Amino acid sequence: MDVRSRHHVTISGRADGRVVVLSHGFGCDQNLWRLVVPALERDFTVVRFDHVGSGRSDLSAWNEQQYSTLDGYATDVLDLCRELALGPVVFVGHSVSAMMGVLAAAREPEAFAGLVLLAPSPCFIDDPATGYRGGFSAADIEELLESLDANYLGWSGAMAPVIMGNPERPELGEELTNSFCRTDPTIARSFARVTFLSDNRDDLTRVAVPTLVAQCSRDAIAPPEVGAFVQKQIAGSELITLNATGHCPQLSAPEETAAAITAFAGAPR
């Protein structure tokens, strides 16, 4: 199966515009970008896709060995860029996808005009020895993964609203819960371990393309210290703090998110 079919690739917007690739995070699919796409389509060629194992991707292409680390997902990103042959792209990676973009850009910088790292985290686990704050203790993450393994649907119902934030807008948490619940539990368990146990702090210094780090003002998953750390490690990168709260600003604050992507992607390179 070709790359477009494997990842259920969707292309829209201006054929003569700079290419913006939108990459979703854990438990999600390309549908979670739908609210920012109309604004981006006015200026850019917009590419959306589903990671293998998510959304309407070809589930038969998933295997645990290939996708046991973020490198497997980064390889898919590079394959996608080559297959589409659209020239250097601005890659927008949400949450764990931000680190996929980091790994891909470190391997083949010529494929990227820039990176937008939206609510990124290179490591979710605190590292007291270095003073790094990821937001969770090792025990927190172990407990989270044990709960997910024991009852994935129950875990989804409990965690999705926490990840989404915005308790005054419960429909957002419900949408993320439904997205989690649509994911095959076996694949979700594997992807969760990759997401929450990866440590890509050392990879940040390998990025040599223009980079925007966009964090949310309040985020239970990626606290402000994480965004500051990422910006400090990537030479020449820019850090902005969105007014948006929660971990999914493309849903909770789509206009602000689209404006930030547009300002960065539309800047001269």
Side-chain angles (χ1 to χ4, degrees):
M1 179 173 285
D2 65 25
V3 169
R4 291 178 185 241
S5 299
R6 186 166 71 240
H7 294 282
H8 188 61
V9 173
T10 303
I11 302 177
S12 60
R14 292 183 52 164
D16 61 345
R18 176 170 281 163
V19 181
V20 173
V21 177
L22 303 177
S23 182
H24 66 82
F26 167 78
C28 304
D29 58 31
Q30 63 181 270
N31 185 57
L32 266 69
W33 292 107
R34 69 187 185 281
L35 299 180
V36 305
V37 168
L40 298 178
E41 287 175 334
R42 293 195 290 265
D43 299 301
F44 307 109
T45 300
V46 181
V47 178
R48 288 177 288 165
F49 70 100
D50 294 331
H51 291 297
V52 169
S54 302
R56 296 174 65 185
S57 68
D58 177 18
L59 298 186
S60 69
W62 185 86
N63 69 81
E64 190 164 9
Q65 181 176 358
Q66 180 176 350
Y67 295 105
S68 62
T69 71
L70 290 182
D71 286 313
Y73 294 94
T75 296
D76 282 351
V77 168
L78 293 171
D79 288 345
L80 188 68
C81 290
R82 293 190 203 98
E83 175 76 14
L84 298 179
L86 295 174
V89 307
V90 174
F91 178 88
V92 182
H94 172 237
S95 191
V96 68
S97 269
M99 292 306 109
M100 298 174 194
V102 163
L103 292 172
R107 283 162 56 179
E108 296 187 21
E110 66 278 5
F112 300 90
L115 298 177
V116 177
L117 309 181
L118 184 63
S121 179
C123 180
F124 287 96
I125 300 175
D126 299 337
D127 184 358
T130 64
Y132 173 80
R133 181 176 180 235
F136 299 85
S137 68
D140 289 335
I141 294 298
E142 182 179 355
E143 182 179 350
L144 181 152
L145 293 173
E146 287 177 353
S147 175
L148 187 151
D149 286 343
N151 182 359
Y152 175 65
L153 294 182
W155 178 89
S156 298
M159 279 299 297
V162 174
I163 293 170
M164 176 59 69
N166 296 274
E168 75 285 358
R169 300 165 67 188
E171 69 278 6
L172 297 179
E174 290 172 7
E175 177 167 350
L176 191 60
T177 298
N178 291 335
S179 178
F180 281 11
C181 291
R182 287 194 299 270
T183 305
D184 179 275
T186 298
I187 295 174
R189 291 185 186 102
S190 176
F191 196 8
R193 292 188 174 279
V194 174
T195 297
F196 291 109
L197 296 177
S198 292
D199 185 349
N200 298 106
R201 287 176 290 171
D202 291 342
D203 296 302
L204 297 173
T205 59
R206 300 167 56 207
V207 175
V209 303
T211 300
L212 173 67
V213 181
Q215 65 182 10
C216 294
S217 59
R218 295 197 309 275
D219 184 345
I221 303 300
E225 294 92 335
V226 174
F229 178 88
V230 173
Q231 187 276 324
K232 184 177 180 180
Q233 298 302 306
I234 300 179
S237 62
E238 176 187 359
L239 171 66
I240 63 171
T241 299
L242 304 173
N243 290 323
T245 59
H247 193 59
C248 300
Q250 68 271 54
L251 278 182
S252 62
E255 297 86 359
E256 184 184 23
T257 303
I261 295 170
T262 296
F264 175 80
R269 294 283 185 266

